[in-house]
Each structure stands twice: as structure tokens, then as C-alpha cells.
Amino acid sequence: MEKKRLYRRPPCPDYDVEGTESWLEDMAREGWLLAQDGIFFGVATFEKDRPQTFRYRLAAAKEPTSFLSDSMGYPDREEREVSAQLGWEYVGTRGDFYIYRSADPAARELDTDPAVQALAFETVRKRQVSRLLTSVSWMVLYPLVALYGMVITPLVKMGVSYLLFWGLVLCSLWGNVAEYLHLRRLNKQLTAGQNLSHRADWKGRQKYRRVVSVLKLALWVFTLTLLFQAWDRSENGAIPMADYTGTPPFATMADFAGEGAVYQKDTMPQYSKVQEWSNIFAPVNVDWAQHDGFIRPDGSWFEGGYYVDYHQLSSEWMAKLLMKEYIRKDRRDYGRMDHYAIVDLPRLDVDEATAYYSLWPTVVLRKGNVVVHAFLYQIVPEGTELSLAEWAAILADSIE
């Protein structure tokens, strides 16, 4: 049975006026006419007819063509009536352009003056610039503001998937930039008094677009897979402290309790968890949350909560930046608290050390390419509490 309808993805983007016109005219020569309102969600619908010669023209829309606009994406009645009197039928809308066609070879062109056509293209270009700025705001500036300018922290947490995410962002923005450059070229051509070419080589552009589309799809699938894995790890990757059989590369609460202290119990087992992961930017990472109680050699009780973010970075300069990001984040989150204060530390066996009281006593240490961010709260008899400087020194000495 002969097909009555045909569905095709346009071989060129919606802003490629010349390529789209040429493609639609070639389809008509093969007996396929674009259906009324036949381009929807990036797919064109054609209806079977006899092979014939049609001219297709894309006219720049003076108003936005969104369904939410006042015109609902259609040219106004007067414009359609004038076009019909000239022998041109309105067929549909694609992007910022109205599609007209004519079977009459004697029908005069819709726009005979390139200067007037250039004004209409300039209106489209200004709308496109506005969309580009909006895209940059939401896709670039907003994520950077939400992350407070942190660069290394997301790399450590998400690995390559974070870079691929920004690769997708840049690919999406490149589409907007390419549209801007293409429209600017057409506008300059029209301003110079040159007419547009209605017989552009759309087939060569089709091959390029297919390759780009396949690559973008593969990038999307790969990136989303890695992002899901990173999310799943962050949500479900931690194991109960009781099940952990490894040896952490830093001091634990047993070291703070003192040599000879006897372990008693995990005081908050639902919150005592360990998570380890690795990526090319940070080969060794440990998230440590410990809530334990000990009997010290002198018989006193030592209990508390101890949280550690341990990272071995692939380079020292990344470690320096990560340390600054941890300090900046804590200052942002807790800096307005009345008890927030910087604490002077004695000389420690590390390259850099910063301590402060935020929500809890906190220390950030860097030794070579290793960064440790830790805080400790203690529940101990009065007068037996370790000072921040004391437990920071124990932690610093434990870092390899």
C-alpha cells in the first residue's frame, strides 16, 4: 500500500533559512508536500502528492512564535491575506520563521527589498540574543552561583561526569552561538543588498547534522549514566561503621580517647557510616561519620561525634584549591553564627592548617596532595575535653 504520509527530521537547523527552503522544494519535486502546520517538535510531516515544482520561502516573524505568545505562533490575518493575494500560501512555522509556498512560477517574491528583509531578520536576531543570554544565565551562571564558585569539590564528588555535564552545557550553548552567527551573516548579506540563496546545498549539511546528533546523543547517554552512578553512590554508597573492615588513613576517635582506652559502644549506629570512592581527580576519598564511646585508662568516659572528609588529590594545586573551598563553604554556612571564630593553631606537621569554631570545632589540613576536613564534638566529664589544638595535632600526625 502506498504511503500517504512521510515523517522526516529536517536536515538543517530552524535558523538555516536557505537550507530549509531548498530541502522543502526538493521534497515537493519528489511528490511530498509539507502538511499544514507540519513541523512539530522537530519532525516534519509530508503528504503524498504528484511531483511538482513549488517555491518555499521562510519569512522572519516580527513577533515571537511561541504557543504562549499573543499570536499563538501564527502570522496575523493581514499578513496571510496579503501573502495569499501575491500567490503564497501559509503552511506553518519553524523556529522564528513562517513558512510560505507557491506553485505559481510567476508569483512575485514575498520580500523584494533585501533592506526590508534585513530589518525583519534583525528582529529575529535580537530575540535570539535574548534567548542566548537567558540560556547562559540558567545553564552557566546559575549553577556556578549555586555552587558558590566551587570547582574542585564537584570534581572530587562526581569525577568525569561533572566535566561531561559542562560539555553538554557548552554543546547546548554552541547551538545558540551558531544560530547567532548564522543570522548575523544573513543579516549582513541582506543589508548589503544581496538576496538570499534559495537553492542551498542542504544534503551536505544533513550529513554534518546527523554526525553531530549521534555524538550529542551518545554524550547525553554516557553523561546521564555517570551522573546516575555518582548520585547512587552518594545516596547508597555508605556502609554502616560496624561493617567497615578497612583502615582509615587518618586518626579516629580511638586515637583521641588515648592509648589503652577501651571501646564501649557505637552511641548512634544509625548515623555511623563510612563511604569510600575513587576517580581520576581524587584517587582516594573517605567520608567518615563516627559516634563511639570509650572508657579511658583513668576510668573517665569519652564520647562524641567525629566527621571527616578525606581526599587524596591527583595534584597538589588541586589540593590547595579544595582546602580553600572547604574553608569558604564553612564560612558561608556558619560565618554569621555568634560563636564562629578562627582558632590559632600551634605548628603542625602539615603544609597548611586552618581551624575555627563553626557549628562544631573544625580543622582543615593539607599535607602535599592530601586534604582533611574534620570536626569533633565531645561528651566528656568537665575538665577532660581535648582542645581543638590537641586533637588537631593528633590528626595532623596521622596523615601520611
Side-chain angles (χ1 to χ4, degrees):
M1 185 174 63
E2 186 179 16
K3 291 194 299 185
K4 297 296 184 181
R5 281 180 173 259
L6 183 67
Y7 301 94
R8 285 285 186 272
R9 186 169 181 266
C12 42
D14 53 22
Y15 56 82
D16 187 352
V17 174
E18 298 165 311
T20 302
E21 291 176 347
S22 177
W23 172 59
L24 293 174
E25 290 178 3
D26 284 348
M27 292 297 292
R29 289 187 180 89
E30 295 177 9
W32 293 103
L33 301 183
L34 183 65
Q36 284 293 327
D37 295 319
I39 299 183
F40 191 69
F41 279 111
V43 177
T45 302
F46 293 90
E47 296 175 338
K48 185 63 177 176
D49 205 315
R50 60 183 177 82
Q52 53 194 302
T53 300
F54 267 91
R55 284 185 293 164
Y56 279 88
R57 296 293 180 265
L58 269 64
K62 301 180 180 62
E63 301 293 335
T65 57
S66 166
F67 287 122
L68 302 178
S69 64
D70 294 337
S71 65
M72 297 290 290
Y74 292 96
D76 59 46
R77 179 182 299 178
E78 181 181 355
E79 180 177 340
R80 279 182 284 176
E81 290 177 350
V82 170
S83 299
Q85 291 172 4
L86 294 174
W88 293 88
E89 172 194 13
Y90 168 74
V91 185
T93 300
R94 187 181 188 214
D96 285 299
F97 298 90
Y98 299 132
I99 303 174
Y100 293 89
R101 70 179 169 214
S102 175
D104 182 4
R108 53 157 284 189
E109 291 287 341
L110 286 173
D111 294 298
T112 57
D113 187 346
V116 174
Q117 202 173 359
L119 293 175
F121 269 76
E122 179 64 16
T123 300
V124 170
R125 192 178 68 85
K126 287 180 178 178
R127 284 203 300 271
Q128 192 278 333
V129 170
S130 178
R131 290 196 298 268
L132 175 59
L133 294 177
T134 300
S135 297
V136 170
S137 298
W138 282 104
M139 300 174 68
V140 178
L141 298 182
Y142 179 77
L144 290 178
V145 169
L147 290 170
Y148 289 88
M150 292 188 292
V151 176
I152 305 302
T153 301
L155 284 176
V156 168
K157 299 288 185 180
M158 303 169 63
V160 175
S161 59
Y162 184 69
L163 291 183
L164 290 175
F165 164 76
W166 282 108
L168 285 174
V169 169
L170 293 178
C171 284
S172 298
L173 289 179
W174 172 246
N176 293 99
V177 173
E179 179 178 359
Y180 169 80
L181 295 175
H182 188 85
L183 291 175
R184 187 177 69 169
R185 180 184 67 80
L186 293 182
N187 190 62
K188 285 184 176 181
Q189 182 177 332
L190 292 168
T191 302
Q194 303 173 13
N195 290 314
L196 300 182
S197 169
H198 304 297
R199 295 300 304 156
D201 176 22
W202 59 268
K203 293 182 180 179
R205 306 179 195 193
Q206 182 181 35
K207 295 177 182 178
Y208 169 78
R209 196 177 188 209
R210 282 178 177 173
V211 171
V212 171
S213 297
V214 170
L215 292 176
K216 286 180 68 174
L217 178 60
L219 183 59
W220 267 107
V221 172
F222 188 53
T223 303
L224 291 176
T225 300
L226 291 180
L227 286 173
F228 175 78
Q229 291 175 348
W231 172 84
D232 185 62
R233 175 190 57 76
S234 65
E235 293 294 318
N236 307 307
I239 63 173
M241 184 71 68
D243 297 336
Y244 181 69
T245 58
T247 301
F250 48 81
T252 65
M253 287 188 67
D255 300 296
F256 300 148
E259 186 177 355
V262 179
Y263 172 77
Q264 290 296 299
K265 63 177 180 177
D266 184 344
T267 57
M268 299 176 67
Q270 68 273 33
Y271 297 113
S272 296
K273 295 186 177 182
V274 186
Q275 184 175 26
E276 297 179 331
W277 74 95
S278 177
N279 60 54
I280 63 172
F281 304 107
V284 180
N285 301 276
V286 182
D287 273 354
W288 182 270
Q290 181 180 12
H291 302 84
D292 283 342
F294 296 83
I295 298 295
R296 288 167 164 161
D298 62 4
S300 63
W301 181 251
F302 181 83
E303 179 186 338
Y306 179 50
Y307 289 77
V308 182
D309 300 297
Y310 175 94
H311 307 287
Q312 183 188 105
L313 284 300
S314 57
S315 66
E316 189 169 328
W317 69 266
M318 292 181 68
K320 292 178 180 179
L321 290 178
L322 181 62
M323 180 180 182
K324 292 179 180 178
E325 289 182 6
Y326 268 120
I327 296 171
R328 187 167 66 244
K329 182 179 185 301
D330 284 345
R331 185 169 61 244
R332 178 198 74 204
D333 293 342
Y334 308 115
R336 295 183 181 181
M337 292 183 172
D338 293 337
H339 62 272
Y340 180 88
I342 302 296
V343 178
D344 291 330
L345 291 173
R347 176 66 183 174
L348 301 178
D349 185 24
V350 291
D351 296 312
E352 293 182 85
T354 300
Y356 40 85
Y357 288 104
S358 54
L359 192 58
W360 292 287
T362 303
V363 64
V364 187
L365 308 174
R366 183 187 68 81
K367 190 171 185 177
N369 63 336
V370 172
V371 174
V372 179
H373 170 261
F375 59 82
L376 171 71
Y377 71 84
Q378 303 172 58
I379 303 173
V380 295
E382 186 175 354
T384 65
E385 181 177 3
L386 287 175
S387 69
L388 196 161
E390 288 175 319
W391 68 262
I394 296 173
L395 178 59
D397 290 340
S398 71
I399 301 173
E400 296 296 332

